[in-house]
Amino acid sequence: ELSRREQEIRSAKLHLEAIYEGSPDLIFVHTTDGKIIDVNDNVLVAYGVSREEIIAAAPADMSGRGYTTEMALEHLQAAVRTGKTEFEWVGKRKNGEEFPLEIRLRRIDSVRLDGTLEPEVLAIARDISEARMAERALEQARKKLRLLNTVIFQDIQSTIFALSAYIQLSGSNRDGTKVTAYLDKEAFLISKIVSSLNFTKNFQDLG
């Protein structure tokens, strides 16, 4: 029975290590007072530091402007009290470059040598730089489409105004040559409106 349990523990340890190192996320293990106990290799790559440097660092050393150690400790304590918490953060690489993070904290209970439990905090962080860039690109596209819609609306509005004027001239004039010229102008203006509407539809189809 003891041998079977040891094998189960060994197997579970191997599975956890595979997840720990195979995950695409940045994984930290913290004490409840904010000290980093361990990290996976993704953290070292993302921050551009050695394992020794990250273990010795305070939360503020790895955080963007305006993000303090005190703020980080508040989130850690919330995870200890409730078991979990999630929030967004800004990390800072060794070269000073900042990058946005989505962070999930989970309380884990580590077993001491005397058999008692000691609370620790598992932090799983995800770099959301690409998502933020996509959001900004989408917002810029929306602004351009709104501007385009405004320009096309004004163009159609002015074309309709001119069309109305030619229709009035056609109705009040008895000169066949002039009426024909007015009708040609009206046909041209109608085709211009149709072209503007088709142009708008093409952009609408693009989403």
Side-chain angles (χ1 to χ4, degrees):
E1 179 66 17
L2 182 60
S3 176
R4 186 179 64 82
R5 288 184 180 178
E6 287 177 347
Q7 182 60 37
E8 288 176 351
I9 292 172
R10 197 176 301 115
S11 179
K13 181 173 181 292
L14 289 172
H15 290 163
L16 288 174
E17 286 176 350
I19 294 171
Y20 191 72
E21 292 301 338
S23 169
D25 294 324
L26 318 181
I27 301 178
F28 304 75
V29 180
H30 293 268
T31 62
T32 55
D33 61 359
K35 178 178 173 55
I36 297 173
I37 301 172
D38 193 21
V39 297
N40 67 355
D41 288 342
N42 292 341
V43 173
L44 308 181
V45 174
Y47 284 88
V49 294
S50 66
R51 189 170 297 276
E52 291 72 24
E53 288 174 316
I54 203 83
I55 295 297
D61 299 333
M62 306 171 348
S63 303
R65 285 174 296 177
Y67 292 82
T68 65
T69 296
E70 289 72 25
M71 292 166 63
L73 290 177
E74 286 179 12
H75 288 298
L76 286 170
Q77 292 303 319
V80 172
R81 289 193 308 272
T82 65
K84 63 180 181 178
T85 187
E86 298 177 7
F87 55 96
E88 290 190 358
W89 198 257
V90 174
K92 183 176 68 176
R93 308 186 205 279
K94 188 175 182 179
N95 63 9
E97 179 188 352
E98 297 185 356
F99 61 106
L101 291 167
E102 185 181 73
I103 298 180
R104 289 165 288 164
L105 300 184
R106 298 293 184 268
R107 172 179 168 151
I108 53 177
D109 291 320
S110 178
V111 182
R112 298 190 182 99
L113 292 176
D114 61 4
T116 59
L117 297 179
E118 180 179 15
E120 294 174 351
V121 178
L122 177 71
I124 302 173
R126 179 166 296 177
D127 187 339
I128 55 174
S129 299
E130 290 187 5
R132 287 291 173 80
M133 287 171 61
E135 287 174 5
R136 286 194 291 268
L138 182 60
E139 183 55 33
Q140 288 178 353
R142 284 175 176 159
K143 287 180 179 177
K144 289 177 181 178
L145 283 173
R146 285 196 292 268
L147 177 61
L148 180 67
N149 285 337
T150 300
V151 170
I152 291 176
F153 173 77
Q154 291 173 347
D155 184 56
I156 291 175
Q157 199 172 36
S158 63
T159 305
I160 289 174
F161 180 78
L163 179 61
S164 299
Y166 279 112
I167 289 173
Q168 288 181 353
L169 289 171
S170 299
S172 61
N173 202 297
R174 295 292 179 264
D175 186 333
T177 304
K178 287 186 177 180
V179 170
T180 301
Y182 294 151
L183 291 174
D184 289 341
K185 287 283 189 181
E186 290 164 19
F188 169 75
L189 292 171
I190 289 171
S191 68
K192 187 178 177 183
I193 292 171
V194 171
S195 177
S196 295
L197 291 173
N198 286 335
F199 185 72
T200 305
K201 184 178 183 303
N202 289 335
F203 271 90
Q204 191 176 40
D205 291 342
L206 286 173

